[in-house]
Amino acid sequence: MKYKVITFLGSLCVALQLSAQTVSVENLKQHITYLASDELKGRAPGTGGEKKAANYIANLFKTYGLEPKGTKGYFQEFTYRQSLNPHDTVAHKGKLYKGKNVIAYLDNNAPSTVVIGAHYDHLGIDGRSSSLEKEAQGKIHNGADDNASGTAGVLGLARHFTTNGEKEPVNFLFICFSAEEAGLIGSKYFTANPTISLAQVN
């Protein structure tokens, strides 16, 4: 199985290089521009900006014909605690926040699944204790490269694999994680509460 996966991934890299000329740069730019816009106010988990981003991603997954694989449609919601004091290491004493992973599945009736993911959250307007700004309060942290660009990549690959006319030898699980900035919370939550069997994931 390992050899088959490595062979597939090698073929995948070649295929993506060959198809790179047909990928719409404007389409990727549109995703990044919207996700990193002031309208979304930095996409901090539990905020209206994150909700808009999550809905944007889910709507595109639906447009591409992908199967919802969250616990509520495309969404997998969770809660976590985070202190706004960067020196406070006692997480359970922090403020309670909500996060929301966005998950979609392309079923090719294959025995194994490849996960393609990126986090879509960022620091919001308060910096959530991680900002490099000296006075972060009230400043929008747009997060174009952290990680609106990665999210655009996930959306671009989701579009590619649902419109390329090929049936790949693996299934794909596309996940846009929340609460990465708080310590990989969304991805940890998914692996502790997977919506497909992790035994089939390569």
Side-chain angles (χ1 to χ4, degrees), residues 90-171:
V90 185
H92 68 271
K93 288 186 177 180
K95 184 177 176 181
L96 186 66
Y97 292 102
K98 292 180 179 180
K100 184 186 294 185
N101 294 330
V102 191
I103 312 172
Y105 188 62
L106 176 58
D107 187 357
N108 286 321
N109 296 312
S112 62
T113 298
V114 170
V115 176
I116 298 177
H119 74 95
Y120 74 97
D121 67 298
H122 196 53
L123 301 177
I125 57 173
D126 58 13
R128 295 279 173 104
S129 81
S130 300
S131 178
L132 298 179
E133 289 273 352
K134 289 185 178 179
E135 301 197 14
Q137 195 66 33
K139 293 183 180 178
I140 296 175
H141 295 67
N142 299 90
D145 62 346
D146 186 16
N147 192 21
S149 58
T151 303
V154 172
L155 293 171
L157 288 171
R159 181 175 181 269
H160 170 78
F161 285 118
T162 55
T163 61
N164 66 351
E166 299 286 335
K167 188 171 182 178
E168 309 295 346
V170 295
N171 312 309

Side-chain angles (χ1 to χ4, degrees), residues 16-161:
L16 289 178
Q17 287 174 348
L18 291 174
S19 68
Q21 296 173 0
T22 62
V23 170
S24 169
V25 173
E26 286 304 312
N27 192 253
L28 296 176
K29 186 177 177 182
Q30 177 184 340
H31 298 324
I32 296 169
T33 300
Y34 176 70
L35 292 169
S37 67
D38 283 355
E39 179 186 342
L40 271 60
K41 299 185 189 302
R43 308 182 308 281
T47 65
E50 188 204 37
K51 182 178 180 181
K52 288 181 180 179
N55 287 338
Y56 178 82
I57 294 163
N59 287 336
L60 285 169
F61 283 162
K62 184 177 181 180
T63 298
Y64 302 152
L66 292 167
E67 180 183 341
K69 272 297 179 181
T71 50
K72 291 183 179 179
Y74 291 102
F75 305 126
Q76 181 187 46
E77 298 176 347
F78 57 90
T79 59
Y80 67 99
R81 291 190 180 275
Q82 180 184 10
S83 173
L84 293 182
N85 179 351
H87 304 293
D88 185 359
T89 58
V90 185
H92 68 271
K93 288 186 177 180
K95 184 177 176 181
L96 186 66
Y97 292 102
K98 292 180 179 180
K100 184 186 294 185
N101 294 330
V102 191
I103 312 172
Y105 188 62
L106 176 58
D107 187 357
N108 286 321
N109 296 312
S112 62
T113 298
V114 170
V115 176
I116 298 177
H119 74 95
Y120 74 97
D121 67 298
H122 196 53
L123 301 177
I125 57 173
D126 58 13
R128 295 279 173 104
S129 81
S130 300
S131 178
L132 298 179
E133 289 273 352
K134 289 185 178 179
E135 301 197 14
Q137 195 66 33
K139 293 183 180 178
I140 296 175
H141 295 67
N142 299 90
D145 62 346
D146 186 16
N147 192 21
S149 58
T151 303
V154 172
L155 293 171
L157 288 171
R159 181 175 181 269
H160 170 78
F161 285 118

